[in-house]
């Protein structure tokens, strides 16, 4: 089945003018005609053409009044309208364009000009409609993602609550070595971090959309990095790697503090990802160095011998 041809409504009180315009366009378009302003309004609302060619001087309603009423009606406001008139004064053209017309052609008309203007404005309208549909799809996808995120947060919280609660029960029973108790505390702490990440997953989505409101707080970078070194001790030990923390190239003492202002959970997640990537990419038996340089801004450099893959 061949595609439907775009429809054009031609409005002019002189039948000869209609025949000329229709002759220019009949090969590629479905033509509708009206010989007065009132008839044009009625036909435009019934047919909803893709484009309107409108004369200005007509006996009942002039073209300016027709244009004003079409643009005031939500059903016809988006239809591109081109004035085709003998009025060639610049103030007439300015008035027509100010009312919402997309173009202004003066009589006598040229077939090539009419075809080109009609084609261009129909293509522009099609592009705007495609963009509007794409925006609707993006909004729908965003809503679906929010719904999925909400479901995930709800479904993950149940089993995670058990993971968080069990370490304390085991610790209360006693009989554990110091290292076993430390690992249980790590499990419990990471469980709470995971719970926080689940609760903040919608915030991460807002960050991607540029609608997130930052709530910074003071964070001790050195304490956070030492905690990460401890948490990744298993991965580092398995690969016989050594993690070294430095401040401006020197190893700090245990009382040193470097404060930055930021979101604690987001900063933790970023540093954890950087350190994990460095450890996984490092050759066995090598070293990963994290150097903190306090200042404005404070910089953090993670260095390793291997190549961290992109993506």
């Amino acid at each position: 089945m061949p595609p439907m041809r775009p429809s054009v409504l031609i409005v002019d009180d002189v039948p000869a003018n209609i025949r000329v315009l229709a002759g220019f366009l009949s090969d590629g378009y479905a033509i509708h005609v009206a010989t007065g302003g009132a008839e044009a309004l009625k036909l435009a609302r019934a047919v909803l053409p893709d484009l309107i060619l409108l004369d200005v001087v007509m006996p009942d309603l002039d073209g300016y009044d027709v244009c004003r009423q079409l643009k005031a009606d939500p059903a016809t406001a988006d239809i591109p309208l081109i004035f085709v008139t003998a009025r060639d004064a610049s103030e007439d053209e300015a008035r027509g364009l100010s009312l919402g017309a997309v173009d202004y052609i003066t009589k006598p008309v040229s077939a090539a000009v009419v075809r080109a203007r009609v084609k261009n404005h129909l293509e522009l309208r099609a592009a705007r409609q495609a963009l509007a549909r794409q925006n609707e799809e993006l909004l729908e996808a965003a809503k679906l993602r929010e719904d999925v995120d909400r479901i995930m947060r709800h479904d993950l919280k149940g089993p995670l609550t058990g993971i968080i609660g069990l370490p304390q029960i085991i610790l209360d029973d006693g009989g554990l070595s110091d290292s076993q108790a430390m690992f249980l505390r790590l499990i419990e702490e990471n469980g709470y971090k995971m719970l926080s990440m689940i609760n903040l997953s919608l915030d991460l989505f807002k960050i991607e959309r540029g609608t997130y409101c930052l709530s910074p707080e003071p964070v001790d970078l050195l304490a956070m990095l030492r905690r990460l070194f401890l948490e990744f001790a298993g991965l580092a030990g398995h690969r016989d790697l050594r993690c070294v923390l430095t401040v401006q190239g020197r190893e700090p003492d245990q009382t040193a503090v470097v404060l930055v202002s930021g979101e604690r959970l987001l900063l933790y997640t970023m540093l954890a990802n950087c350190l994990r990537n460095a450890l996984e990419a490092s050759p066995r038996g090598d070293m990963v160095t994290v150097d903190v340089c306090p200042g404005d801004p404070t910089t953090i450099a993670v260095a390793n011998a291997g190549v961290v893959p992109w993506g």
Side-chain angles (χ1 to χ4, degrees), residues 107-161:
K107 298 175 182 177
V109 294
S110 157
V113 169
V114 171
R115 292 192 187 107
R117 301 284 180 87
V118 168
K119 177 178 179 293
N120 289 344
H121 287 296
L122 284 174
E123 288 177 350
L124 285 173
R125 188 192 192 210
R128 286 195 299 270
Q129 290 174 333
L131 183 60
R133 286 193 298 270
Q134 185 180 33
N135 287 338
E136 290 178 2
E137 292 171 359
L138 289 172
L139 289 173
E140 188 64 28
K143 182 179 181 301
L144 177 61
R145 182 170 177 176
E146 289 181 3
D147 291 341
V148 171
D149 179 83
R150 196 175 299 110
I151 293 170
M152 288 294 291
R153 284 187 287 132
H154 178 271
D155 291 347
L156 287 173
K157 280 184 178 180
L160 189 56
T161 301

Side-chain angles (χ1 to χ4, degrees), residues 211-273:
T211 58
Y212 181 71
C213 182
L214 183 67
S215 300
E217 60 177 315
V219 179
D220 182 1
L221 274 181
L222 300 186
M224 181 175 285
L225 286 165
R226 289 190 181 101
R227 172 60 66 179
L228 284 169
F229 282 6
L230 188 59
E231 292 178 10
F232 284 112
L235 175 60
H238 177 70
R239 298 176 59 83
D240 195 23
L241 298 168
R242 189 164 63 96
C243 295
V244 176
L245 175 61
T246 60
V247 176
Q248 293 181 312
R250 298 181 179 180
E251 293 193 28
D253 60 48
Q254 292 298 313
T255 61
V257 173
V258 175
L259 292 176
V260 295
S261 179
E263 290 268 13
R264 182 177 298 275
L265 180 59
L266 298 179
L267 184 58
Y268 168 86
T269 303
M270 179 192 70
L271 292 174
N273 287 335

Side-chain angles (χ1 to χ4, degrees), residues 277 281 307-311:
N277 289 341
V307 177
V308 178
W310 289 91

Side-chain angles (χ1 to χ4, degrees), residues 3-8 28-31 49-51 122:
M4 293 182 60
R5 296 188 299 173
S7 59
V8 176
Y29 304 94
I31 304 299
D50 295 302
L51 184 139
L122 284 174

Side-chain angles (χ1 to χ4, degrees), residues 158-229:
L160 189 56
T161 301
I163 294 173
I164 292 172
L166 285 174
Q168 188 59 52
I169 295 174
I170 298 172
L171 287 168
D172 289 342
D173 288 341
L176 300 174
S177 67
D178 290 342
S179 61
Q180 289 172 330
M182 179 191 68
F183 289 135
L184 281 173
R185 290 297 184 194
L186 280 176
I187 292 172
E188 182 182 42
E189 182 177 333
N190 283 317
Y192 279 114
K193 286 178 181 175
M194 185 177 292
L195 182 60
S196 297
M197 290 178 182
I198 291 171
N199 290 333
L200 287 175
S201 58
L202 187 56
D203 290 336
L204 296 175
F205 177 56
K206 290 178 180 178
I207 290 173
E208 293 178 358
R209 296 178 64 184
T211 58
Y212 181 71
C213 182
L214 183 67
S215 300
E217 60 177 315
V219 179
D220 182 1
L221 274 181
L222 300 186
M224 181 175 285
L225 286 165
R226 289 190 181 101
R227 172 60 66 179
L228 284 169
F229 282 6

